[in-house]
Amino acid sequence: MILGIGTDLANIDRIAAVLERHGDRFRNRVFTPVEQAKAESRSRAVAATYAKRWAAKEACSKALGTGLRMGISWRDMAVTNLPSGQPTLHLSGWAAERLAAMTPPGHEAVLHLTLTDDHPWAQAFVVIEARPRTAA
C-alpha cells in the first residue's frame, strides 16, 4: 500500500547562487558528507547534483506528510546511490521516527526515489510503500 507521495522541482541556477553565496555553511546544513562528496565529484554538474538532492529531501518531507517542519532536519534525509547508479533515500533522526510511526504493524516501509534534471530544472519524486512482512 502507498503511505505517501511527494514531488519537488528545484531551480538549478537558484541552488548554484545559494552555493556561491553561502558555500560550506549551506552545504553542511543541508547535505551529508556523502552527498557533498558525490556532488563535488561531478565537476560539470555540481549545482545540478545538489539541486536534485535538495528536491529529493523536499519530496521526501512531503511524502512523510510533514513538509520541513515538526522537527525534521535536512540531514535526516540522505540520498545515496546503489552501485547501479540508482538513487536511494536513507532516513535517520526524526524522519526515521516519522516513517516508523506511519508504517502499519506487520509491514516494512520501502522508499522509492527517482531524480532527473534538465537545466534549469531538477526534479525528484518519492513514493513510500508499506509492504507486508513475510514470515520467516
Side-chain angles (χ1 to χ4, degrees):
M1 86 182 71
I2 303 299
L3 298 179
I5 299 172
T7 188
D8 193 66
L9 190 63
N11 185 286
I12 296 168
D13 293 333
R14 179 175 165 258
I15 296 297
V18 172
L19 287 164
E20 180 71 26
R21 195 166 46 251
H22 299 288
D24 285 343
R25 187 170 148 234
F26 171 69
R27 283 181 192 89
N28 293 331
R29 183 174 66 88
V30 176
F31 303 101
T32 66
V34 170
E35 290 172 312
Q36 291 180 47
K38 175 72 171 182
E40 299 298 327
S41 75
R42 306 196 66 218
S43 60
R44 297 180 64 183
V46 172
T49 303
Y50 279 121
K52 286 186 283 190
R53 278 146 179 77
W54 171 279
K57 292 166 187 270
E58 288 274 5
C60 182
S61 71
K62 293 170 185 174
L64 289 169
T66 64
L68 286 161
R69 57 183 177 86
M70 297 175 57
I72 200 166
S73 166
W74 288 104
R75 290 172 51 128
D76 285 349
M77 302 165 287
V79 178
T80 61
N81 295 84
L82 298 176
S84 65
Q86 177 184 347
T88 61
L89 271 167
H90 299 279
L91 304 186
S92 61
W94 190 90
E97 291 173 20
R98 169 69 180 148
L99 181 62
M102 64 190 285
T103 304
H107 290 74
E108 64 180 335
V110 180
L111 295 160
H112 302 278
L113 169 65
T114 187
L115 303 172
T116 192
D117 67 283
D118 187 8
H119 193 86
W121 300 107
Q123 183 178 29
F125 193 81
V126 173
V127 174
I128 302 175
E129 173 190 10
R131 288 186 189 160
R133 292 190 191 274
T134 55

